[in-house]
Amino acid sequence: MTMGARTETVAELDGTVVGGWVRRLAGNTAPRRNHWHTRQIYYRAAEALLDAGPPAELTWKSIVAQAGPRGSRSTFYEVAGSHARHRMVDDLIGDGRPGAIEIALRYLRTDPVQQLLDETKVWSFWACRQDATRQLSDLMPVGEMERVLAAAVAGWARRHPALARAAGCTPPACAVEDLTVLHRGRLSGTEALARLTEVVRTA
């Protein structure tokens, strides 16, 4: 078997909840009501503001203003409000399995800006995540697989320092879920979050 072959544990990364959320929204090519396109407008606006100044200046109003003519209060809250459509955290809750719900509870926010940042981190990290998973094989010890994933998170954090530090240095939720999968449920979502938060802090 060659390195990177899709085997039992590694193949499960193709079926994660957050991965399914990304693929479902990003795979929509319809020109109208394209929620992924709308979300990306706000993800880019939030990261641009973080890069430009302190997080204290990040509000729904500043994000809408940064989004330009395509931004509005109504579409911001469609993306990030408590009743927003297609929230990442709702997919985790809806999955129903204890591990997914545990991760959801760690990313369940009352502040819509913080909720937007959690999703922005996943969007920003996704290409790094995909590159990392292609390096994995079940021939690797779990510790080595974790190091590959952690290195991807650290590399992302160095390239996107302001975004990585936002929301208490929380890592992308997809990486947290991936880490629990690599440990085959023997590492809780809370533990995975703590390990990867430390990776972000020290990157």
Side-chain angles (χ1 to χ4, degrees):
M1 184 182 299
T2 59
M3 189 65 71
R6 310 298 290 178
T7 45
E8 185 179 356
T9 300
V10 174
E12 289 183 16
L13 296 175
D14 292 332
T16 61
V17 178
V18 180
W21 172 79
V22 172
R23 285 188 293 273
R24 175 168 55 85
L25 293 180
N28 176 18
T29 58
R32 300 186 63 185
R33 304 301 294 171
N34 188 321
H35 294 283
W36 189 247
H37 176 71
T38 303
R39 286 180 127 76
Q40 288 184 95
I41 291 170
Y42 290 105
Y43 298 160
R44 292 188 182 102
E47 183 164 24
L49 286 171
L50 286 170
D51 289 341
E57 297 177 5
L58 203 65
T59 66
W60 74 263
K61 290 182 179 179
S62 65
I63 294 170
V64 167
Q66 179 67 30
R70 294 173 295 180
S72 70
R73 183 183 187 278
S74 62
T75 56
F76 173 85
Y77 279 97
E78 279 186 14
V79 168
S82 58
H83 301 292
R85 300 178 64 185
H86 309 295
R87 295 193 309 171
M88 175 186 71
V89 72
D90 288 337
D91 276 32
L92 286 162
I93 293 170
D95 179 76
R97 288 174 292 183
I101 292 173
E102 181 181 4
I103 294 170
L105 291 175
R106 299 298 176 269
Y107 286 89
L108 190 60
R109 310 285 193 176
T110 57
D111 180 355
V113 172
Q114 297 288 301
Q115 180 181 296
L116 181 74
L117 291 177
D118 288 335
E119 293 189 4
T120 303
K121 290 186 180 195
V122 171
W123 165 76
S124 175
F125 177 67
W126 192 250
C128 302
R129 186 262 187 189
Q130 296 298 82
D131 286 344
T133 58
R134 283 191 286 269
Q135 298 175 44
L136 300 175
S137 163
D138 281 341
L139 292 177
M140 302 164 74
V142 66
E144 187 177 349
M145 290 195 286
E146 179 172 346
R147 283 190 289 275
V148 170
L149 180 61
V153 172
W156 164 81
R158 287 191 292 270
R159 289 189 293 274
H160 304 270
L163 177 59
R165 288 193 302 268
C169 292
T170 49
C174 55
V176 174
E177 186 182 12
D178 289 344
L179 187 54
T180 65
V181 170
L182 293 179
H183 281 269
R184 301 195 61 77
R186 290 186 286 270
L187 184 73
S188 71
T190 300
E191 293 170 313
L193 176 65
R195 289 188 187 185
L196 292 178
T197 298
E198 187 61 23
V199 169
V200 173
R201 286 198 178 111
T202 58

